Amino acid sequence: MSTTVTFVTPAALAPPGQPDIAYAPDRNKWQARAARRLKEGNLPTTLPEGFPEKLTGDLVWEGDTVADTYDWTYVLNADQLDEIDRAVDHFKGLELPLGYLTAETFPLLSLHGELRRLSAELHSGHGFFVIRGLRVDDHTREENVIIYAGISAHIAAERGRQDHKFNGQQADVVLSHIKDLSWSQNNGVIGSPAYTTDKQVFHTDSGDIVSLFALETSAAGGASKIASTWRVYNEIAATRPDLIHTLSQSWDMEVFEKADKQYVERPLLFHFPATESTPERVALQYGRRYFVGFGALPRRHSIPPITEAQAEALDTINFLGEKYCVNTDFQKGDIQYINNLAVFHARDGFTDTPEKRRHLLRLWLRDPENAWVTPDVLKYRWAQLYEGVTPEGQVLPLEPFIRSAGNKGR
């Protein structure tokens, strides 16, 4: 019998008028809803103006075949690992706070060119890669944070703000820990699957690049899965163009942190026409829990319920993500980087033991040299992430905590 966990957190209570949909996707309900809506008819049969019938290029891939043409794992050799160790010693010798980690304070003269090439792969290639071989057990927790932020600074210079406070004080928290905390803390405050053993369904994070560093893997389960949003787009555009309308129209997306208004109105899918220097693109930015809630953070009753069309769209992109995804074989010492506008990700449920607890570090990054244009409606969010983040104001916590957007007790 499998010991892998799927969903253990009780479903969040739905607000009045919400369609029959929860954080845990239900394939039967999805298929029944799709059949019902198709039978009712009156759905658009053409794409929204300007949206492409089909996207092409390296960002269009399928999990079953992508390995035939693309090796996404960059394995560090002994000389490169030694260079990384020297960079750790160099930074520690500067006696600077961790917020001062940059490509200059963490010098990698030999590896730098390869890391810049990998950044280009994120933005103009397949949209993901894994760096493998870091010697986690040879370093302290602080040294592993230095290594992670230091290497990442060569790939994308800007670290995004993931929380606005730490230990009750205002701070620019730029590093998060992804770990099951339900065993050690009051599970009644956890409103994000990141801090549980639950399966995380397909979603994007915030910002241009999301990166994860595996300090430890789980005893069982926890596979990291990613999918091309461009391949998913092509499938929906060809079979259900009405859902492209739904995804590109305005949604009421919950804001979990304290704000003047507890939801924002914006699309989930964005279209970028071709320019003289860039190809035609689409981008997806969404998280399922912002529309259906999770755990201790159900969708607020004061926010309008989602529609039946939106419920179907959420399930459609999730199940197509599962259909076309690849398992990146995430191992201890791996760092995974993905283009958060063109690739979305999920995690299988997992089982920890006292001796082996899954523990990831996360950065939200931006490379000003290679970054895609930010959609106008997302510029407010990018400003929250990247503007005003200073070296002296940055906090890179060494121990796990529940960030405000996933904490009922925030």
Side-chain angles (χ1 to χ4, degrees):
M1 186 176 81
S2 174
T3 57
T4 301
V5 173
T6 302
F7 296 102
V8 296
T9 302
L13 294 175
Q18 184 86 336
D20 184 12
I21 185 172
Y23 180 80
D26 185 313
R27 184 176 291 272
N28 291 332
K29 290 181 181 179
W30 167 53
Q31 292 173 335
R33 177 175 283 115
R36 184 172 63 251
R37 295 190 65 245
L38 286 169
K39 184 178 180 180
E40 291 170 354
N42 297 319
L43 301 176
T45 57
T46 59
L47 292 167
E49 184 177 356
F51 276 78
E53 292 187 6
K54 186 176 183 179
L55 291 160
T56 60
D58 286 343
L59 274 172
V60 181
W61 48 261
E62 297 182 11
D64 288 344
T65 57
V66 64
D68 296 341
T69 56
Y70 176 51
D71 182 2
W72 62 79
T73 306
Y74 186 89
V75 182
L76 297 165
N77 61 39
D79 289 341
Q80 291 168 330
L81 289 168
D82 289 343
E83 182 178 43
I84 290 168
D85 285 346
R86 291 193 297 273
V88 172
D89 292 338
H90 175 82
F91 181 78
K92 290 173 70 175
L94 298 175
E95 298 184 348
L96 292 170
L98 297 178
Y100 285 85
L101 277 158
T102 66
E104 289 71 36
T105 61
F106 193 85
L108 297 171
L109 298 181
S110 298
L111 191 53
H112 175 79
E114 285 294 278
L115 298 179
R116 294 308 300 151
R117 179 185 66 79
L118 290 170
S119 178
E121 180 67 41
L122 279 182
H123 295 86
S124 304
H126 293 79
F128 73 101
F129 64 87
V130 173
I131 292 177
R132 176 159 294 165
L134 289 167
R135 301 178 288 216
V136 171
D137 291 337
D138 290 354
H139 296 280
T140 66
R141 175 68 58 76
E142 182 180 50
E143 288 171 345
N144 279 311
V145 169
I146 291 171
I147 289 168
Y148 180 33
I151 289 174
S152 298
H154 291 263
I155 295 167
E158 297 182 13
R159 290 186 286 271
R161 186 185 286 109
Q162 298 187 47
D163 209 337
H164 61 276
K165 64 179 181 179
F166 184 69
N167 287 337
Q169 303 296 318
Q170 184 145 350
D172 293 331
V173 182
V174 297
L175 179 139
S176 287
H177 295 250
I178 309 301
K179 188 176 184 180
D180 175 33
L181 299 178
S182 62
W183 64 276
S184 62
Q185 301 195 27
N186 176 11
N187 201 17
V189 306
I190 295 178
S192 168
Y195 309 111
T196 71
T197 60
D198 288 72
K199 176 176 180 170
Q200 279 189 286
V201 301
F202 275 93
H203 65 285
T204 66
D205 282 22
S206 291
D208 291 77
I209 301 166
V210 59
S211 170
L212 296 167
F213 177 25
L215 297 180
E216 184 57 272
T217 55
S218 57
S224 177
K225 296 179 177 179
I226 62 174
S228 162
T229 58
W230 285 25
R231 179 62 188 90
V232 169
Y233 172 88
N234 284 349
E235 179 93 351
I236 300 173
T239 61
R240 289 294 304 276
D242 59 291
L243 293 180
I244 299 298
H245 284 266
T246 300
L247 291 165
S248 61
Q249 292 166 354
S250 186
W251 294 53
D252 296 325
M253 180 174 176
E254 184 152 3
V255 175
F256 288 112
E257 295 179 308
K258 291 181 179 179
D260 293 335
K261 184 180 179 182
Q262 287 304 148
Y263 66 98
V264 296
E265 297 148 343
R266 70 162 179 84
L268 308 192
L269 185 70
F270 305 90
H271 175 240
F272 303 87
T275 69
E276 291 184 1
S277 58
T278 61
E280 184 175 36
R281 294 166 170 163
V282 297
L284 181 71
Q285 277 278 289
Y286 89 108
R288 188 179 178 99
R289 75 182 183 100
Y290 292 88
F291 304 101
V292 301
F294 179 88
L297 291 175
R299 187 170 175 87
R300 285 182 172 87
H301 289 202
S302 59
I303 303 175
I306 66 172
T307 66
E308 286 288 331
Q310 289 172 335
E312 186 190 353
L314 285 176
D315 279 342
T316 299
I317 53 181
N318 177 75
F319 286 115
L320 288 179
E322 291 186 358
K323 179 180 179 179
Y324 292 119
C325 74
V326 65
N327 180 347
T328 58
D329 188 29
F330 210 28
Q331 301 177 14
K332 182 175 181 175
D334 283 0
I335 306 179
Q336 175 179 285
Y337 296 87
I338 65 175
N339 179 332
N340 193 50
L341 294 169
V343 175
F344 61 158
H345 60 287
R347 177 195 77 197
D348 281 354
F350 62 92
T351 301
D352 280 340
T353 63
E355 300 77 28
K356 193 171 174 64
R357 295 191 181 277
R358 189 178 193 268
H359 188 176
L360 311 183
L361 303 179
R362 182 179 69 189
L363 291 170
W364 290 342
L365 303 166
R366 179 175 173 83
D367 179 5
E369 181 180 329
N370 290 319
W372 289 15
V373 174
T374 305
D376 286 344
V377 73
L378 290 179
K379 285 181 178 177
Y380 82 95
R381 179 59 179 152
W382 261 236
Q384 291 174 342
L385 297 175
Y386 300 112
E387 288 184 7
V389 179
T390 62
E392 59 273 15
Q394 290 183 41
V395 175
L396 290 83
L398 300 184
E399 297 299 328
F401 68 102
I402 302 173
R403 71 187 190 96
S404 299
N407 189 342
K408 182 180 180 180
R410 64 196 183 281

